[in-house]
Amino acid sequence: MKQLHRKDLFGWSEFNPERNLDFHSVLWVRDDGNVLIDPLPMSEHDHSHLQSLGGVGFIVITNSDHCRDAERIAEVTGAAIYGPAAEEETFPLSCARWIHDHEEIVPGLIAYQLNGSKTPGELALLLEHSTLITGDLIRCHIGGELCMLPVDKLMDKSKAVQSVKRIADLPDIKAVLTGDGWPLFNHGSEALHRLARSLNH
């Protein structure tokens, strides 16, 4: 796994040739149980690295299209899987807990529900007020420039735009770690505001 912009954050990625971009997963190392977010399959090296950092206590899945390798990793590690409450009826995995809008998942990690995306109630996660971790709706296909999921994939464009604007209004976001595309390690709020303004047109 790669060290990210904080000493307690790591990531690993998988290149998707069909979309010509990387998919990403995030590990937050913390004393009371490490958190994996949208975990892709791990290489032996990355799994060993994970174990050396204390394993995993919780797996948070932002939406049903990002279940990825969560079930297998949970079986191997004993981690509890948390999923978006709005997908409880149709979610492909059983979850120990369903996460609602503005809920603190563990201390310092708050979920925001994104309506109108390609799955109901997708979650964005705000880590200690300064790092935003996104699933599908907010992405980054060009380095440094955030974009929204293509309109033809949205369940409701108007709701999706409002969700993006709500996230952009959160103060003091430094980094945006997207599930798809490039990460932004600085000037996250500025990039989110640029995206929000572009959706007015």
Side-chain angles (χ1 to χ4, degrees):
M1 291 180 290
K2 299 164 287 193
Q3 176 80 62
L4 300 179
H5 63 294
R6 292 171 40 141
K7 289 182 179 178
D8 59 351
L9 286 179
F10 295 83
W12 71 105
S13 308
E14 179 181 282
F15 182 71
N16 182 273
E18 182 187 343
R19 294 177 178 82
N20 210 40
L21 48 72
D22 287 325
F23 294 159
H24 302 289
S25 302
V26 175
L27 166 67
W28 180 25
V29 177
R30 51 191 291 279
D31 290 339
D32 294 322
N34 295 342
V35 179
L36 286 183
I37 297 161
D38 291 348
L40 293 156
M42 304 187 87
S43 67
E44 283 188 28
H45 174 272
D46 285 346
H47 189 72
S48 295
H49 191 187
L50 174 64
Q51 294 310 114
S52 74
L53 292 168
V56 54
F58 312 97
I59 296 172
V60 181
I61 301 172
T62 60
N63 69 84
S64 56
D65 289 341
H66 278 206
C67 290
R68 298 171 167 175
D69 210 28
E71 191 169 38
R72 194 190 69 80
I73 292 172
E75 285 173 1
V76 170
T77 63
I81 298 176
Y82 295 170
E87 292 201 64
E88 184 173 353
E89 298 302 316
T90 57
F91 208 67
L93 304 180
S94 61
C95 289
R97 181 173 156 197
W98 298 102
I99 306 301
H100 295 81
D101 184 43
H102 212 256
E103 184 173 345
E104 191 167 43
I105 302 170
V106 296
L109 187 66
I110 297 173
Y112 290 88
Q113 185 170 304
L114 304 176
N115 299 312
S117 188
K118 65 186 169 91
T119 54
E122 176 183 323
L123 302 175
L125 310 175
L126 186 60
L127 175 62
E128 294 182 340
H129 308 291
S130 62
T131 295
L132 181 71
I133 302 164
T134 68
D136 273 325
L137 183 62
I138 297 171
R139 37 216 297 126
C140 184
H141 295 185
I142 299 170
E145 184 179 318
L146 295 174
C147 60
M148 190 172 73
L149 192 69
V151 170
D152 61 355
K153 295 196 174 182
L154 299 174
M155 295 176 72
D156 186 315
K157 181 187 175 186
S158 175
K159 288 181 178 177
V161 168
Q162 289 307 311
S163 292
V164 170
K165 290 182 175 181
R166 179 191 180 207
I167 295 297
D169 283 341
L170 295 172
D172 304 322
I173 293 176
K174 176 185 176 185
V176 181
L177 305 180
T178 61
D180 299 354
W182 295 98
L184 275 70
F185 295 124
N186 282 293
H187 309 298
S189 282
E190 292 93 325
L192 286 162
H193 282 294
R194 281 197 304 274
L195 171 59
R197 285 195 300 271
S198 76
L199 299 175
N200 291 328
H201 304 297

